[in-house]
Amino acid sequence: MPEYDVIVVGAGNAALAAAVSAREQGANRVVVLEKAPEELRGGNTHYSGGLLRFAYDRADDLKTLVPDAERQVSGFFSGVEPYPAARFREDLMRVTEGRSDPELSEILIGRSYDTVCWMAKQGIVMEPAVSLSAVRVGNTVKWSPGAVIRARHEGVGLSKMWFEAAAKRDVEVRYRANVIGLTHDRTGRITGVSMNDPNGIGELTARAVVLGCGGFEANPEWRARYLGRPWDHAKVRGTRYNTGDGLRMAIELGALPHGQWTGCHSTPIDADAPPHGDRKLTDKTNRLSYPYGVLLNRLGRRFFDEGEDFQFYTYAKLGGIILNQPSGVAYQIFDAKVADLLEGRYKTGKPTIAETIPALIEKLPLDHGAGRQTLADYNGAARSGAFDPTVRDGLDTPGLALPKSNWAQRLDTPPFVAYPVTGGITFTFGGVRVNERAQVMSTSWAPITGLYACGEMVGGLFHTNYPGGTGLMSGAVFGRLAGAEAAGA
Ligand SMILES: Cc1cc2nc3c(=O)[nH]c(=O)nc-3n(C[C@H](O)[C@H](O)[C@H](O)COP(=O)(O)OP(=O)(O)OC[C@H]3O[C@@H](n4cnc5c(N)ncnc54)[C@H](O)[C@@H]3O)c2cc1C
């Protein structure tokens, strides 16, 4: 008889959703194996903004999740637009250039609302994502469709609430438990894991194993191998423990790689951010108000259409674009007109400030002549018109070879500020193929019996880019599914 019904590898959102779901569906002995020590537990989930993107037909559908929202934001329910499945699908397909796996994306989208309600029942308390999603103009609050709700106290809260939910269900959690391999019998059925913990190297047996142990974003050698230069130099926004171990173990056993192995989620972060995520700062190094300003590289040139779309549809690819600029840095430049629109997270940074544009450029380590010219050209092209941060306002820059397609106001109101940014890696897109039961598929396109995967390990959903709030939702949907299936294995 195996020691456990289900072994879950990892202790982030996906893994803990799997563990709770396995217990709910009848697995008696469930253990979570976490590589990190207890004080660093919780994977990227701890560092996240806790934002959840899911489909809902009516704003009233959110009442189950945030019944008290109007106390926090008056008129909340009348201000939120519906986000039906068709719109979620359209967003996901648009930003991934039509490449998101159709079967997996249907599972993600189709089960997103039901799963977020299930999370709430498990004790995950939610709130309106005011500082992430709300844009306030006068007395109106406009929400980014589909990305309106987050876990209370963001990723720190989400991780804590998941551990509490797991404890309530008597899930055992072992820390410093570094899973290093999968064991199997002669039929190929998974029988457990081998691991390295403070007692040495040993094995644990189970009827089923769920892998929820993240991507390879914290492994510079794999970043160099799959993402290429300059990704080995990237700062890691989250945990240092996601080194591709689960992917390696599964692939060694014949699992089918899936999705974009050269792709990752990467965002503009403070150029002075630490090399790995800071437990206290979490996602506060993010710099996502660039649609309201202008981006310059060290050559003093623009290199990205800052107003291509709302931030939640461009931020996840912009980090990589910045990292590929000279020295891997860029400068986000704003004038005083938009100071109130900058996300609160900018307060954690140290901007360069000047009363004129030439004086600002002089203070920055970039080609001064080119920088002055670029901003003069930009100011010459920016039109006067109705600036509206709540819609794609079409305020563009006719005549510029690289347009700014929306929100292109002249930089004309001092003081002018510049925030230095680099590209921080969040998570990798390459993973393994899972089927509709979250079973890991083998290269012979048959499920590997007893092996399930969830979270960042699921390949195929994201390519090149990603709509904000989808990582946690995908983790919860596939985690819940994997846990339930593993319970019945
Ligand atoms: C700064 C930041 C902000 C983000 N904000 C958002 C957001 O607001 N909304 C959103 O949807 N997504 C966000 N994301 C992405 C989101 O955090 C991830 O998609 C999600 O947390 C991944 O969940 P997971 O359970 O797959 O992995 P993780 O939460 O990373 O968990 C992986 C776990 O596996 C463990 N592990 C790794 N290897 C082993 C091993 N060999 N043995 C045992 N355990 C192992 C790790 O220690 C960790 O506990 C953000 C990410 C970051 C870094």
Side-chain angles (χ1 to χ4, degrees):
M1 164 124 156
E3 291 152 280
Y4 291 97
D5 293 319
V6 178
I7 291 174
V8 178
V9 184
N13 172 65
L16 293 178
V20 167
S21 167
R23 286 285 294 126
E24 184 187 40
Q25 296 305 317
N28 288 321
R29 296 156 307 151
V30 177
V31 65
V32 163
L33 302 177
E34 163 64 302
K35 178 160 70 165
E38 186 167 358
E39 62 277 16
L40 297 178
R41 68 181 184 177
N44 275 345
T45 302
H46 170 93
Y47 299 84
S48 75
L51 185 69
L52 295 158
R53 178 176 296 267
F54 53 90
Y56 51 90
D57 292 327
R58 289 165 299 276
D60 277 0
D61 293 344
L62 304 181
K63 283 190 173 150
T64 344
L65 306 171
V66 286
D68 294 335
E70 302 248 328
R71 257 194 243 155
Q72 199 182 337
V73 183
S74 74
F76 173 78
F77 293 105
S78 54
V80 168
E81 282 177 51
Y83 192 65
R87 193 148 175 209
F88 193 169
R89 193 174 303 115
E90 190 190 304
D91 282 341
L92 181 61
M93 286 302 174
R94 186 181 72 255
V95 303
T96 61
E97 296 168 358
R99 290 197 171 92
S100 184
D101 182 300
E103 186 190 3
L104 299 179
S105 57
E106 278 316 303
I107 295 172
L108 161 65
I109 295 166
R111 298 188 189 194
S112 60
Y113 179 70
D114 186 51
T115 300
V116 86
C117 293
W118 174 80
M119 288 170 76
K121 278 199 206 109
Q122 306 312 315
I124 307 298
V125 183
M126 298 175 200
E127 64 182 14
V130 178
S131 62
L132 288 178
S133 175
V135 179
R136 191 178 289 275
V137 183
N139 288 331
T140 315
V141 178
K142 175 92 180 174
W143 299 86
S144 181
V148 176
I149 302 295
R150 70 176 168 208
R152 193 169 68 192
H153 303 317
E154 307 173 18
V156 174
L158 177 62
S159 181
K160 186 166 172 285
M161 289 185 279
W162 267 133
F163 279 106
E164 286 164 2
K168 256 190 226 142
R169 297 244 181 214
D170 293 323
V171 170
E172 181 186 345
V173 181
R174 296 200 192 178
Y175 297 103
R176 298 179 194 268
N178 178 14
V179 176
I180 52 180
L182 296 164
T183 55
H184 59 91
D185 65 16
R186 289 178 60 191
T187 68
R189 186 190 173 95
I190 297 298
T191 52
V193 299
S194 52
M195 66 173 190
N196 194 347
D197 71 5
N199 301 318
I201 292 181
E203 288 187 1
L204 283 183
T205 55
R207 286 193 292 113
V209 173
V210 177
L211 295 173
C213 45
F216 59 88
E217 56 274 4
N219 181 337
E221 195 261 341
W222 277 40
R223 292 202 305 266
R225 197 191 303 184
Y226 294 107
L227 309 178
R229 288 179 72 147
W231 288 100
D232 40 352
H233 280 150
K235 297 190 184 210
V236 178
R237 295 181 62 217
T239 179
R240 65 190 64 186
Y241 293 101
N242 286 359
T243 47
D245 306 353
L247 295 170
R248 176 188 52 74
M249 288 178 239
I251 290 169
E252 271 171 10
L253 256 187
L256 180 62
H258 192 44
Q260 191 194 23
W261 277 72
T262 56
C264 67
H265 181 298
S266 170
T267 77
I269 59 168
D270 184 355
D272 295 324
H276 295 99
D278 177 294
R279 300 283 287 181
K280 292 222 166 79
L281 264 182
T282 62
D283 72 340
K284 304 301 175 291
T285 59
N286 244 356
R287 298 285 177 263
L288 304 190
S289 297
Y290 53 87
Y292 309 131
V294 174
L295 268 169
L296 292 186
N297 64 15
R298 282 248 162 117
L299 305 176
R301 303 214 177 98
R302 290 179 58 245
F303 54 91
F304 181 71
D305 178 353
E306 303 89 339
E308 176 188 301
D309 205 336
F310 292 110
Q311 59 172 54
F312 280 145
Y313 301 120
T314 58
Y315 80 113
K317 64 178 176 179
L318 179 54
I321 294 171
I322 292 171
L323 201 63
N324 278 285
Q325 300 306 305
S327 307
V329 294
Y331 301 88
Q332 296 183 354
I333 297 178
F334 306 98
D335 75 357
K337 288 200 297 299
V338 296
D340 288 346
L341 287 174
L342 300 193
E343 289 183 344
R345 297 190 272 210
Y346 279 74
K347 293 197 177 78
T348 65
K350 290 192 197 82
T352 301
I353 305 172
E355 287 302 309
T356 65
I357 287 181
L360 184 74
I361 294 291
E362 200 61 38
K363 290 183 177 180
L364 299 176
L366 48 75
D367 182 319
H368 296 147
R372 281 193 300 272
Q373 189 60 51
T374 302
L375 294 188
D377 292 346
Y378 169 82
N379 268 349
R383 296 184 293 129
S384 52
F387 168 79
D388 185 349
T390 68
V391 293
R392 294 180 188 89
D393 65 3
L395 211 54
D396 60 359
T397 52
L400 282 193
L402 174 62
K404 180 174 177 189
S405 301
N406 292 287
W407 310 296
Q409 301 191 95
R410 285 169 59 87
L411 292 167
D412 58 9
T413 310
F416 302 92
V417 294
Y419 287 85
V421 287
T422 185
I425 188 165
T426 321
F427 66 92
T428 44
F429 290 161
V432 290
R433 179 75 165 87
V434 298
N435 66 9
E436 75 293 346
R437 295 175 58 195
Q439 290 175 297
V440 176
M441 301 295 286
S442 74
T443 51
S444 50
W445 289 88
I448 298 176
T449 316
L451 187 63
Y452 302 82
C454 53
E456 291 176 4
M457 289 192 59
V458 171
L461 282 165
F462 311 124
H463 296 254
T464 312
N465 193 9
Y466 150 109
T470 318
L472 291 173
M473 198 64 254
S474 155
V477 166
F478 286 96
R480 180 189 183 197
L481 180 60
E485 291 287 339

